[in-house]
Amino acid sequence: FRLIQVSRAVGIKTYFVASWKKLAWGIVVTAVTFLVLGAQTVSHLINVTLAGREQQLAQATAGKPDSATKTAEETQAEKHSQWIFATNWSLPPEDTAEFIAPCLRGLDTGNPKGPYWGRLGQSEGWEKTHEGFANFRQHTIYLGVMPCAFAVFAVIIALSFRCRKHPHPASSIPERDPFIGLTFFWAAAAVICLLLALGRYAPLYRLFYEIPIMDKVRGPAKFVHLVEISVSVLFALGLTWLIRPVADEDYKRFRLSGRLAMVLATFASATCLGFSLSFNPHAHASTWSLMGIPAGTIQTVLTDLYKGALMRAGWLFALAAAAIGAVALAKPEKRKAFAWASAILVMIVSVFDMAEVGNRFATVDDVAYKYARSPVVDALVKKGKPDGSAYSYLQLTNQLLPGNVPFLDAIGTAGIACLDPQAGNDQSADSVKAYLAFEKDIVKRWKYWGAAIVLAPPSVAAEMARSGLATLTGLYDIDQRRMQLVTPASMQKAQVATVAPQSMIPSVAVFHGWRTAAPEKALSVLAETSFDMDQQIVVSGEGLTDTDTSEKHTPASWVKAPSDTRGNRAIIHVQTDKPGLLFMRDYVMREFKTVATVNGKKAPV
């Protein structure tokens, strides 16, 4: 659109002759940027997202007749199901009131501070069958009163100033103001995207749906994001129209436009205030009860949110009317001062207004416990960097611990991974697969993980120490208030013990023997009774054959450990006089380059 604007202003041929080099470089930069940043996104869209949509559609029509045997009614029903699938989360027309009245119908679905009670995300036919979702929303669609008011002001000004003289006093040649075209462009974008956001509630989306691939797009309400962008630009244009110089011959036109915008904002203010004062919560009580929202405090909160949203909109529209009116009615010599004062006031109010609404949807996630000092970590770090190390716990309670127990998180944050099954893991989780494979041989499980430490009840730890499986390294209590491991009040009554398993495989080592197996068979090979994890590893790949040996692995060492790389290089050094494969256990959740030297010479990784 800007290209068309510029070329029209100076002539298409003249523009392209003068600017072809810039355009060529622009195309090159765009292409490179797309290849670097966009290609992966598009690839994911085609290969993952669209494939996922096809799978969802297939599941939605599972058990239904094949196309060849379907009746006309069944074919029509399937098409309708696909249409409903695509247009779920269409924006209900009544929800557009929230563009100016924040959280009019509650916050988000299920929020105890004010559950959303609108229709966004509602399953088809819910009002009759009460099956599926009553609604599902986790966000606000508030655009802001000031942005909306000044967007309308920008459109009014653009309609009035379709042709104006060049603002420079020396020029008397009328020319088209580029701001007028920009205003119309973004106003059209806002309207079209709003119609698309309405989805099944507006006819335009049916045309969009018929475009190839677009029938796989779900959630038309996402087009509200483009409405947000459009209104934001129009807001900026409105403020710019407010503060930019106006030629003497255009001043009357500007004043009339400002007065019209002031009248519309005043009318909007009065309307919002009127609806706020006349709101009757009893008319909606049955809807609230139907959605499972109990009478009493919560319904009172919803009433306050509704009335407060409209009251807020009313007063902000009144402020917008005052800001526009102050400039439109000001004398020419004072207009500039009024314009800048009004623009600054409007921007400050907008920032605080949007921030306050956004803050309603911000939740505090205190992660300080993840970085709390852990005596277990202190003890491990004294022995060296924990790269490639794991810890395990043996039923510290009578059930599987969830993955967010603070003292476990504090250990994990230090780079010591826990690969035990945890509450919520399903059968496909690697931790569950390893647990089941080594169920009869806990030592192999520890070797497989590279366990540097095991947490266990003191009685279990003492038994492991007596049997020679592990060495007792520490005793701790659990601070119930902070759920952190602390020094025990009494060594005889400690709640948690730590042990170091014996004969663990280091995080880097050279193995001189190996067995080949497909990745899905690796765990079962490792779990075989005859398989010695100190002598062999399991490898997958072409051109490899089994190699038996009685030689134990040769420990290697980190010259520069992953925890020291900060995203650069990790360096391994190996000293060995026998051929083998270099084994590295890596739990670092980021990419880093690994460099290995064997007997002083660089080796392939």
Side-chain angles (χ1 to χ4, degrees):
F1 181 80
R2 288 290 294 132
L3 193 64
I4 293 171
Q5 272 197 309
V6 174
S7 60
R8 283 182 63 187
V10 299
I12 295 176
K13 184 177 180 180
T14 303
Y15 175 72
F16 277 93
V17 168
S19 305
W20 70 269
K21 290 183 180 179
K22 290 181 180 179
L23 292 173
W25 273 111
I27 292 171
V28 170
V29 170
T30 301
V32 171
T33 303
F34 172 77
L35 289 173
V36 173
L37 301 177
Q40 186 176 356
T41 301
V42 173
S43 174
H44 185 274
L45 173 68
I46 294 172
N47 299 317
V48 179
T49 306
L50 287 180
R53 288 284 185 263
E54 295 287 1
Q55 186 177 5
Q56 288 175 324
L57 280 170
Q59 291 172 348
T61 58
K64 296 181 179 179
D66 295 332
S67 300
T69 60
K70 287 175 184 172
T71 64
E73 291 79 7
E74 289 171 339
T75 301
Q76 189 64 31
E78 182 178 337
K79 289 183 178 179
H80 179 71
S81 296
Q82 293 174 349
W83 165 254
I84 295 301
F85 174 84
T87 57
N88 278 335
W89 287 277
S90 295
L91 182 67
E94 67 272 16
D95 273 24
T96 57
E98 193 164 318
F99 287 168
I100 58 170
C103 308
L104 191 71
R105 290 178 173 81
L107 300 173
D108 45 337
T109 299
N111 191 323
K113 295 181 179 179
Y116 170 68
W117 53 279
R119 292 190 295 157
L120 181 63
Q122 188 175 92
S123 300
E124 186 191 28
W126 180 89
E127 65 279 1
K128 296 179 181 178
T129 64
H130 301 161
E131 294 179 357
F133 291 112
N135 56 47
F136 193 80
R137 189 184 83 167
Q138 295 177 300
H139 53 83
T140 179
I141 57 172
Y142 181 54
L143 299 180
V145 169
M146 292 299 179
C148 289
F150 277 83
V152 172
F153 173 64
V155 173
I156 293 173
I157 286 284
L159 287 169
S160 177
F161 278 48
R162 279 176 295 180
C163 185
R164 63 189 295 272
K165 291 185 178 180
H166 195 285
H168 196 280
S171 175
S172 59
I173 303 174
E175 73 170 26
R176 189 179 299 274
D177 191 321
F179 275 29
I180 294 174
L182 283 175
T183 302
F184 289 153
F185 173 83
W186 287 105
V191 171
I192 291 170
C193 292
L194 174 57
L195 291 174
L196 289 172
L198 294 173
R200 68 175 70 140
Y201 303 114
L204 182 63
Y205 199 83
R206 176 60 76 171
L207 298 176
F208 175 80
Y209 178 80
E210 295 299 332
I211 299 173
I213 300 180
M214 295 305 105
D215 59 334
K216 308 297 188 300
V217 175
R218 294 193 76 190
K222 63 168 64 75
F223 282 98
V224 170
H225 292 313
L226 300 181
V227 177
E228 292 167 353
I229 293 172
S230 302
V231 171
S232 296
V233 178
L234 289 171
F235 178 29
L237 287 167
L239 288 174
T240 306
W241 284 111
L242 192 74
I243 62 176
R244 72 188 305 204
V246 178
D248 292 340
E249 59 269 27
D250 291 331
Y251 197 71
K252 184 177 180 180
R253 187 180 302 167
F254 173 83
R255 288 171 66 97
L256 288 173
S257 300
R259 288 174 179 176
L260 177 58
M262 180 183 69
V263 169
L264 290 176
T266 303
F267 177 76
S269 173
T271 302
C272 291
L273 292 172
F275 276 111
S276 173
L277 295 173
S278 63
F279 177 69
N280 179 16
H282 300 293
H284 302 279
S286 59
T287 300
W288 294 339
S289 299
L290 196 61
M291 291 183 170
I293 301 172
T297 304
I298 295 183
Q299 292 194 10
T300 301
V301 168
L302 295 181
T303 300
D304 293 341
L305 279 171
Y306 195 100
K307 296 176 69 173
L310 288 169
M311 185 68 69
R312 179 196 194 106
W315 287 113
L316 287 175
F317 269 124
L319 183 59
I324 296 171
V327 180
L329 302 176
K331 294 181 179 180
E333 63 272 14
K334 295 183 178 180
R335 177 186 171 276
K336 183 177 180 180
F338 275 103
W340 278 102
S342 296
I344 292 171
L345 174 64
V346 166
M347 286 188 283
I348 291 173
V349 170
S350 294
V351 168
F352 281 96
D353 177 42
M354 301 300 285
E356 192 280 328
V357 174
N359 190 55
R360 301 179 187 184
F361 294 84
T363 57
V364 176
D365 184 11
D366 185 358
V367 297
Y369 65 88
K370 292 186 178 182
Y371 303 92
R373 184 168 180 176
S374 169
V376 174
V377 173
D378 291 344
L380 280 172
V381 171
K382 285 181 181 178
K383 299 179 181 178
K385 292 289 183 180
D387 295 281
S389 296
Y391 69 92
S392 173
Y393 56 80
L394 296 177
Q395 285 191 292
L396 295 180
T397 66
N398 60 356
Q399 59 187 0
L400 286 176
L401 290 178
N404 61 347
V405 174
F407 67 79
L408 297 182
D409 284 324
I411 298 173
T413 302
I416 306 168
C418 178
L419 298 183
D420 269 319
Q422 297 174 9
N425 289 152
D426 57 30
Q427 294 293 317
S428 63
D430 290 336
S431 57
V432 175
K433 290 178 180 177
Y435 182 86
L436 295 175
F438 303 119
E439 192 172 10
K440 297 180 180 179
D441 194 335
I442 194 171
V443 175
K444 271 195 173 183
R445 178 151 57 103
W446 290 342
K447 286 185 176 181
Y448 176 72
W449 288 341
I453 195 167
V454 175
L455 308 180
S459 58
V460 176
E463 184 60 34
M464 286 192 289
R466 281 193 294 270
S467 61
L469 291 178
T471 304
L472 184 67
T473 58
L475 294 168
Y476 308 96
D477 280 347
I478 301 177
D479 183 334
Q480 295 295 337
R481 184 175 61 85
R482 296 179 299 149
M483 282 300 287
Q484 297 288 0
L485 293 182
V486 295
T487 303
S490 169
M491 290 294 182
Q492 290 72 31
K493 296 181 180 179
Q495 297 171 310
V496 178
T498 57
V499 296
Q502 297 295 303
S503 304
M504 289 298 102
I505 298 168
S507 58
V508 283
V510 173
F511 280 81
H512 310 289
W514 51 85
R515 292 263 301 275
T516 58
E520 63 272 14
K521 299 288 183 64
L523 279 174
S524 59
V525 174
L526 286 167
E528 292 175 4
T529 306
S530 59
F531 191 94
D532 189 341
M533 295 181 74
D534 290 321
Q535 296 177 358
Q536 288 184 309
I537 54 175
V538 177
V539 295
S540 302
E542 297 180 1
L544 293 169
T545 57
D546 292 359
T547 300
D548 294 321
T549 182
S550 59
E551 297 285 346
K552 189 178 179 181
H553 64 264
T554 301
S557 60
W558 293 105
V559 177
K560 188 175 183 180
S563 55
D564 295 327
T565 64
R566 297 187 180 276
N568 300 318
R569 297 191 310 166
I571 302 174
I572 298 170
H573 178 63
V574 180
Q575 196 73 31
T576 180
D577 57 357
K578 295 178 285 294
L581 290 177
L582 180 61
F583 163 89
M584 180 182 74
R585 180 182 286 108
D586 169 27
Y587 295 140
V588 181
M589 300 302 289
R590 57 178 170 77
E591 292 185 4
F592 59 91
K593 185 178 180 181
T594 305
V595 178
T597 58
V598 178
N599 300 337
K601 295 181 180 180
K602 190 174 179 180
V605 177

